[in-house]
Amino acid sequence: MNHEWPLFEVFVRARRGLNHVHVGSLRAADHEMAVHHARDLYTRRNEGVSIWVVRSDDVVASSPEDKAAFFEPSGDKSYRHPTYYTIPGSVPHI
Amino acid sequence: MSDFEDTIARDQRIEPGDAMPDGYRSTMIRQIAQHAHSEIIGMQPEGEWITRAPSLRRKAILLAKVQDEAGHGLYLYSAAETLGADRGDLTRRLIEGRQKYSSIFNYPTLTFADVGVIGWLVDGAAICNQVPLCRSSYGPYGRAMIRICKEESFHQRQGFELLMTMMGGTPGQRAMVQDAVNRWWWPSLMMFGPPDDQSPNSARSMAWKIKRHSNDELRQRYVDMSVPQAEALGVTLPDDELRWNADRGHYDFGTPDWAELTRVISGDGPCNAARIERRRRADEDGAWVREAAAAHARKREKVVA
């Protein structure tokens, strides 16, 4: 019998003002236990002020094989970047 | 050139889900699993001293350290799972002797000085091995190693401080430290693996940038680091051939007993059977707790639904 607990992905906010960042995964019976385990596993030295846990099988990811086609549309739009525009150096504050 | 080869050539990281050669995946799983098992089995030699630590301060430190080892094991199992490995399956492979762990944890901890020497020498060797692994080509492994290395630094320093305290004590305590150094020095040198010309998988691991330095290179680096530390501590490293070589700019040192390493790796070390037996018992004794927690979670899910 496979009584492995489900896998959870863990995200930690290091301090107020920062995003939650993915730090790894762990096994737990449910979400509540996952939060407790995440505290013991990923914040033993004040690494965080807030934790999110998400069931790994609920995560939907873009496919690495389609990476080129998927991200290509943004590649040829250099006009989206400020450096695309030439402004005389004499113009201040721009 | 495949995406994989291109990524490696540009010194970028391979990430979960990327296409990779089967050999890379299986090598990575094996290496990460062995590393995880080493951390988990590594809780035992020092764990034996938690109840016998000489002060509350030392007990709290040792508890924190052993808890870190458990944490390191779990970071690594987490990294192995990104490659499609299953944590429960890896544990079964360890218990059934189908996957190995570091030979160093098959030696006994006879006195409290061993706790200090493990921190200084064994964790020192681990740091030497692991710092380059922070740049290993597999992303989740490298990131786990960064986290581990930060924590290992506490391990090494607490060990050295423990030994300094003992060296400032009675002649009996100083003798205890020297005895522990005598027993752990050579096994520590073996932690870097067999000599380069007898390490069959090394070349491929270097080509894939899983490893960044050869076994002998890291061993030399470790010896060079340890000699001045031993002098500062006032202990003698048990090697008659150990001396500074000005031409090489390194310390020369004797040859470890490679037959002993082979023996211990293949299961015939002083504590192999006891270590695995304890891990098996912990897994079996914990089974009902894991099942009960899972049943409780299922029941609550139903109530909510």
Side-chain angles (χ1 to χ4, degrees):
Chain A
M1 170 184 160
N2 181 19
H3 38 73
E4 196 73 60
W5 290 337
L7 195 62
F8 291 83
E9 301 300 322
V10 181
F11 301 77
V12 172
R13 183 200 293 286
R15 54 173 199 278
R16 303 183 74 85
L18 297 179
N19 287 321
H20 286 78
V21 173
H22 182 246
V23 291
S25 66
L26 51 75
R27 296 273 178 174
D30 57 22
H31 288 86
E32 200 182 333
M33 185 193 275
V35 170
H36 282 125
H37 283 184
R39 181 210 45 198
D40 292 344
L41 186 55
Y42 291 107
T43 63
R44 286 196 301 282
R45 290 179 175 78
N46 307 319
E47 290 97 335
V49 295
S50 166
I51 292 172
W52 289 348
V53 296
V54 179
R55 281 278 298 250
S56 305
D57 48 18
D58 284 339
V59 173
V60 179
S62 60
S63 153
E65 287 95 74
D66 301 338
K67 189 173 59 187
F70 194 72
F71 292 105
E72 210 162 59
S74 76
D76 59 356
K77 295 179 180 60
S78 49
Y79 49 84
R80 291 181 181 232
H81 297 278
T83 48
Y84 177 78
Y85 303 94
T86 311
I87 308 279
S90 57
V91 181
H93 306 306
I94 187 161
Chain B
M1 196 189 257
S2 69
D3 278 353
F4 173 82
E5 287 163 357
D6 184 50
T7 305
I8 296 282
R10 286 185 294 124
D11 217 0
Q12 294 206 328
R13 300 293 181 266
I14 304 298
E15 293 292 346
D18 286 349
M20 60 187 90
D22 290 345
Y24 180 86
R25 185 184 299 277
S26 60
T27 300
M28 236 27 263
I29 290 178
R30 195 184 62 234
Q31 179 168 337
I32 297 173
Q34 283 184 7
H35 196 159
H37 298 332
S38 301
E39 300 283 357
I40 296 297
I41 295 289
M43 295 165 75
Q44 293 186 32
E46 290 178 282
E48 288 174 6
W49 282 94
I50 291 175
T51 56
R52 295 178 286 171
S55 69
L56 189 55
R57 177 173 178 268
R58 293 291 172 198
K59 193 194 290 273
I61 292 169
L62 193 51
L63 265 173
K65 190 188 171 209
V66 172
Q67 192 189 359
D68 274 352
E69 310 291 1
H72 297 176
L74 295 179
Y75 303 153
L76 289 161
Y77 285 129
S78 162
E81 288 200 287
T82 64
L83 289 158
D86 176 275
R87 209 174 285 228
D89 176 56
L90 296 179
T91 297
R92 278 186 290 279
R93 284 169 190 266
L94 167 67
I95 291 170
E96 290 164 12
R98 289 187 285 143
Q99 272 178 345
K100 300 200 185 307
Y101 55 91
S102 176
S103 58
I104 194 79
F105 301 115
N106 290 314
Y107 293 88
T109 40
L110 303 182
T111 73
F112 195 69
D114 290 41
V115 172
V117 170
I118 288 179
W120 171 40
L121 290 179
V122 175
D123 293 326
I127 291 172
C128 221
N129 253 331
Q130 290 171 356
V131 166
L133 292 176
C134 295
R135 293 188 300 121
S136 176
S137 59
Y138 189 57
Y141 187 46
R143 293 192 284 276
M145 293 317 308
I146 290 173
R147 196 174 276 277
I148 289 172
C149 284
K150 278 187 196 158
E151 299 181 353
E152 288 288 352
S153 169
F154 140 62
H155 296 181
Q156 197 188 18
R157 289 173 66 104
Q158 67 82 32
F160 199 80
E161 189 234 39
L162 190 164
L163 296 176
M164 283 199 311
T165 308
M166 285 187 82
M167 289 304 283
T170 64
Q173 287 174 309
R174 280 193 289 277
M176 220 184 256
V177 173
Q178 183 62 56
D179 170 64
V181 170
N182 292 348
R183 284 182 287 109
W184 288 95
W185 174 248
W186 291 106
S188 302
L189 290 186
M190 294 176 198
M191 285 175 70
F192 297 92
D196 292 348
D197 54 10
Q198 293 165 42
S199 182
N201 299 323
S202 276
R204 204 171 63 159
S205 286
M206 299 272 269
W208 277 337
K209 296 183 184 169
I210 296 171
K211 274 176 83 152
R212 298 280 181 163
H213 305 280
S214 80
N215 297 354
D216 287 333
E217 252 175 85
L218 291 169
R219 194 170 3 253
Q220 180 72 60
R221 187 181 294 181
Y222 173 69
V223 171
D224 292 347
M225 272 169 35
S226 300
V227 172
Q229 292 172 353
E231 280 167 10
L233 202 54
V235 295
T236 309
L237 297 173
D239 180 355
D240 297 337
E241 295 173 52
L242 188 67
R243 62 181 57 86
W244 178 250
N245 182 327
D247 296 335
R248 292 202 308 125
H250 291 289
Y251 285 92
D252 289 337
F253 57 100
T255 309
D257 180 355
W258 297 121
E260 176 181 322
L261 177 65
T262 308
R263 220 166 40 240
V264 177
I265 287 182
S266 60
D268 200 16
C271 300
N272 295 54
R275 300 287 187 240
I276 289 296
E277 169 53 23
R278 182 180 276 190
R279 182 69 193 91
R280 188 185 62 74
R281 213 171 55 229
D283 189 60
E284 283 176 10
D285 290 350
W288 73 269
V289 180
R290 294 194 297 277
E291 280 166 39
H296 179 66
R298 276 195 303 276
K299 197 177 81 183
R300 290 218 308 189
E301 217 165 81
K302 258 184 224 152
V303 172
V304 173

